[in-house]
Amino acid sequence: RPRGSFRGDPTMSRVVACASTSFSRGAVITNARALGKSPSVRPRHPASRKHVGSRIARRAADSSLARLALQNHFERVGMPLTDGTSITVRAMRPEDVRRVAEVMRVAFEGTPDERPRARVAKYLVDRLAEPDPDQCVLVATLRGDAVAVASLSFSELARGNPGSATRGEQTGSRSVPCPLDAAYLCNVAVDITHRNKGIAKTLLRAAEDFAKETGHGDVWLHVRSSQPAGFALYLKSGYEVEAWETFGGGGASFGVFGKLASALGGEKPDVALMRKRLDAT
């Protein structure tokens, strides 16, 4: 018998058949059957975890870019004020930082939320240096000058809130956090020389418009009852108290129960968590 010929030996013939056949989908089935085994065929185009992860990452990146573009292009021009003038509300720009930092410093001076000007400026610069699709600083400009500011965030990570495991030990706004993925409004401040013109209310309306454009159906915020002007502004603008701060990690005091606890001799809550449901229009 010539060398390399396996005629008459059925076992070796099957081995040669397997070795010489290309490993296509059909060949795998044929060879398996030739060896008396049930065919085990992998999908033609297996979707590996790596590929699925890559697609998810690309979609997340596309979503982030879209939200950043929305921030950069958001603008409300000619919003009327009570004195006959009008403001423009848009995302903060580098040339606004110095003016906005001063507005915020003066607005919160002498309150529990007071911060050094350098820290406020760093916060603003960081927002510009590291654009975040889950954070946006809006400014109101009057004749080109920034006269008011408001910040919006859309995730717990962006707000820097502690984990749920430690919330029971918190006081103030941290004891009554808003929902994790809520549109959260903070740092609302108006230049002291431009107050009583309706700027805060107008800026608030623009911030709500931006929240709706990002797909949110409500806006949440914290406010101190010891600051009656701000508290009254939000009440008149349609915000409702959802909860009051707690003391000693006892859990949130909701609605009238927080007020009742205060009336019965408990510590008077200062920080309220408020919410406004936005119209679909």
Side-chain angles (χ1 to χ4, degrees), residues 63-87:
S63 174
S64 296
L65 290 174
R67 285 179 289 159
L68 286 173
L70 181 62
Q71 290 184 20
N72 294 332
H73 291 91
F74 179 81
E75 189 173 53
R76 291 292 183 271
V77 180
M79 302 187 77
L81 302 177
T82 57
D83 65 348
T85 60
S86 63
I87 59 172

Side-chain angles (χ1 to χ4, degrees), residues 3-4 22 38 42 63-64 74 80-81 83 89 98-100 166-168 185 187-188 218 233 237 240 244:
R3 180 174 297 180
S22 63
S38 60
R42 298 178 63 185
S63 174
S64 296
F74 179 81
L81 302 177
D83 65 348
V89 178
R98 179 174 297 181
R99 183 79 177 101
V100 170
T166 61
R167 280 184 183 150
L185 183 71
N187 297 329
V188 178
D218 48 21
L233 166 68
S237 298
E240 298 177 349
W244 289 90

Side-chain angles (χ1 to χ4, degrees), residues 204-276:
L204 190 59
R205 191 165 69 249
E208 293 166 358
D209 287 347
F210 183 78
K212 285 195 289 186
E213 289 194 9
T214 59
H216 289 80
D218 48 21
V219 173
W220 299 71
L221 57 84
H222 288 103
V223 63
R224 295 184 182 276
S225 60
S226 57
Q227 298 171 346
F231 198 82
L233 166 68
Y234 297 126
L235 287 175
K236 290 179 181 178
S237 298
Y239 287 80
E240 298 177 349
V241 175
E242 294 286 330
W244 289 90
E245 72 170 313
T246 57
F247 304 93
S253 300
F254 291 91
V256 296
F257 296 105
K259 297 178 181 178
L260 179 61
S262 175
L264 293 176
E267 290 187 78
K268 181 180 179 181
D270 184 24
V271 177
L273 175 66
M274 304 188 78
R275 174 192 186 190
K276 179 179 179 179

Side-chain angles (χ1 to χ4, degrees), residues 33-281:
R33 287 173 178 169
L35 293 173
K37 299 179 179 179
S38 60
S40 177
V41 184
R42 298 178 63 185
R44 186 182 301 274
H45 298 294
S48 68
R49 293 181 181 178
K50 180 179 179 181
H51 292 162
V52 172
S54 298
R55 286 199 297 271
I56 294 174
R58 285 196 297 270
R59 289 173 183 172
D62 291 342
S63 174
S64 296
L65 290 174
R67 285 179 289 159
L68 286 173
L70 181 62
Q71 290 184 20
N72 294 332
H73 291 91
F74 179 81
E75 189 173 53
R76 291 292 183 271
V77 180
M79 302 187 77
L81 302 177
T82 57
D83 65 348
T85 60
S86 63
I87 59 172
T88 294
V89 178
R90 55 167 173 76
M92 182 180 64
R93 298 171 183 169
E95 60 268 24
D96 301 320
V97 170
R98 179 174 297 181
R99 183 79 177 101
V100 170
E102 183 63 15
V103 169
M104 291 178 65
R105 184 194 69 79
V106 174
F108 297 115
E109 190 173 27
T111 74
D113 302 308
E114 181 178 1
R115 298 292 182 271
R117 188 182 186 282
R119 181 174 174 181
V120 176
K122 183 180 184 304
Y123 162 77
L124 298 173
V125 170
D126 287 347
R127 296 286 68 76
L128 292 170
E130 302 175 1
D132 186 344
D134 287 333
Q135 295 187 76
C136 182
V137 178
L138 299 176
V139 297
T141 62
L142 178 63
R143 294 184 289 273
D145 186 28
V147 295
V149 59
S151 299
L152 275 168
S153 60
F154 303 99
S155 72
E156 185 185 36
L157 180 62
R159 289 186 281 276
N161 286 346
S164 58
T166 61
R167 280 184 183 150
E169 303 170 2
Q170 304 296 326
T171 59
S173 63
R174 292 185 183 274
S175 70
V176 280
C178 66
L180 303 185
D181 58 349
Y184 178 75
L185 183 71
C186 65
N187 297 329
V188 178
V190 179
D191 180 12
I192 193 170
T193 62
H194 290 282
R195 293 178 182 175
N196 300 316
K197 298 179 181 180
I199 292 179
K201 187 174 182 179
T202 305
L203 175 59
L204 190 59
R205 191 165 69 249
E208 293 166 358
D209 287 347
F210 183 78
K212 285 195 289 186
E213 289 194 9
T214 59
H216 289 80
D218 48 21
V219 173
W220 299 71
L221 57 84
H222 288 103
V223 63
R224 295 184 182 276
S225 60
S226 57
Q227 298 171 346
F231 198 82
L233 166 68
Y234 297 126
L235 287 175
K236 290 179 181 178
S237 298
Y239 287 80
E240 298 177 349
V241 175
E242 294 286 330
W244 289 90
E245 72 170 313
T246 57
F247 304 93
S253 300
F254 291 91
V256 296
F257 296 105
K259 297 178 181 178
L260 179 61
S262 175
L264 293 176
E267 290 187 78
K268 181 180 179 181
D270 184 24
V271 177
L273 175 66
M274 304 188 78
R275 174 192 186 190
K276 179 179 179 179
R277 294 172 175 83
L278 304 178
D279 296 332
T281 56

